[in-house]
Amino acid sequence: MSRSLLAPEFMALVRPHTGDLSDIRPTSRGFSSDITALVECEKGRFFVKAVRNRPGGRRNSIIRERLINPAVFPVSPALRWHAEDDAWIALGFELVEGRASDFAPDSPDLPAIVDTLNRIGELDLPEVARDWPETRWNRFAQDEADSALFQGEALLYTDINPSNLMIGEQNTWAVDWSWPTRGAGFIDPSCLVVQLIAAGHTPEAAESWAAGCKAWGEAGPRAIDAFAAANARMNRAFAERNPDASWLRAMAGAAQAWVDHRNG
């Protein structure tokens, strides 16, 4: 059980929203959070995530996640409450019953994964996201003409991985909307392509699944080529900066395999 979660100052912050707690189970998800836990309490069952209330990326991302939630429900679990003081910012989400999705080539989850991306692609861009233009790939683009292809009016999720796309008996969810942005709609399916290659798909097979996404079909080949190249440069830079992170090397290899396929 997380000592931080049991700290008196944190418990005082969340108690008005939880009442008395009966069970707390820290989770392994949530690399960008200081606390993630499944909470059973007097007022219900919640997934709670929290960060230290300090200036920087973690604080900015959890604020974005709070602000975007009304626009992405029911693709995402509903935010039931939030709390903030000088030490912590905490979000309490509806607890949904599901498991991490399986991205492997023979996975029965693949149609549901594509369907979830299409549901995201159908979401309207909320007013709050108009001030969040997508820029993460710009510095890795070959030139300004290429980076201009990444701009658009779609609401982007981008944090596509097996843990964040959850499969339930009757529904699927995209969780952890830590950095939503406004950009070109084909970027989410493109992120899926790299994840599928990393999970064992050939680049051709990965693109065939992405082709089930409407936004992919609406994109021109030049835009996808430009993004694939920029994404490979970005993943390579991350892997070189963190040589001990095997998962970053795997992502860099998958991204480069996709570029090689498109250039073949």
Side-chain angles (χ1 to χ4, degrees):
M1 189 173 293
S2 169
R3 292 183 179 179
S4 295
L5 196 59
L6 293 178
E9 64 272 15
F10 187 86
M11 299 305 297
L13 174 66
V14 304
R15 190 173 298 277
H17 305 282
T18 63
D20 292 334
L21 275 64
S22 55
D23 187 44
I24 305 172
R25 286 172 287 158
T27 71
S28 58
R29 293 194 299 108
F31 297 110
S32 62
S33 301
D34 294 305
I35 292 171
T36 58
L38 307 179
V39 173
E40 296 188 16
C41 57
E42 183 181 355
K43 297 189 178 183
R45 303 170 69 228
F46 303 106
F47 172 71
V48 175
K49 65 187 303 184
V51 300
R52 298 282 185 179
N53 196 353
R54 298 168 180 160
R58 288 190 173 191
R59 183 182 190 278
N60 294 340
S61 69
I62 203 168
I63 290 174
R64 281 201 188 196
E65 187 165 8
R66 173 175 66 81
L67 293 174
I68 203 65
N69 186 260
V72 300
F73 174 80
V75 180
S76 169
L79 179 65
R80 296 304 186 193
W81 52 264
H82 67 274
E84 178 177 355
D85 62 15
D86 291 341
W88 291 97
I89 301 178
L91 305 180
F93 292 90
E94 170 192 14
L95 184 60
V96 297
E97 298 294 340
R99 58 171 174 80
S101 54
D102 182 355
F103 280 25
D106 59 351
S107 170
D109 296 345
L110 294 170
I113 291 166
V114 172
D115 178 69
T116 302
L117 263 64
N118 275 322
R119 290 166 61 204
I120 293 171
E122 293 169 357
L123 295 171
D124 293 331
L125 180 72
E127 195 62 32
V128 67
R130 293 194 177 278
D131 293 331
W132 302 338
E134 180 54 69
T135 60
R136 283 169 288 186
W137 285 273
N138 287 5
R139 65 190 177 98
F140 298 100
Q142 180 172 311
D143 51 37
E144 290 185 4
D146 278 3
S147 64
L149 298 171
F150 309 156
Q151 308 312 305
E153 296 300 308
L155 175 63
L156 300 181
Y157 172 48
T158 70
D159 200 2
I160 295 165
N161 62 67
S163 294
N164 281 353
L165 298 182
M166 294 181 62
I167 307 292
E169 290 188 4
Q170 298 181 352
N171 202 355
T172 59
W173 299 272
V175 303
D176 197 9
W177 284 76
S178 295
W179 210 253
T181 56
R182 171 178 58 82
F186 74 87
I187 289 179
D188 275 344
S190 296
C191 292
L192 175 65
V193 168
V194 178
Q195 287 283 336
L196 292 179
I197 295 171
H201 294 251
T202 65
E204 183 178 14
E207 287 193 340
S208 72
W209 283 108
C213 297
K214 181 180 178 182
W216 175 274
E218 294 174 344
R222 178 170 175 261
I224 296 175
D225 286 344
F227 181 82
N231 190 60
R233 294 185 194 105
M234 182 175 74
N235 278 281
R236 184 165 57 249
F238 289 169
E240 290 172 353
R241 193 180 307 159
N242 301 276
D244 295 332
S246 60
W247 71 273
L248 287 175
R249 293 197 303 273
M251 293 306 301
Q256 186 59 50
W258 186 29
V259 170
D260 294 343
H261 167 72
R262 293 195 67 85
N263 289 340

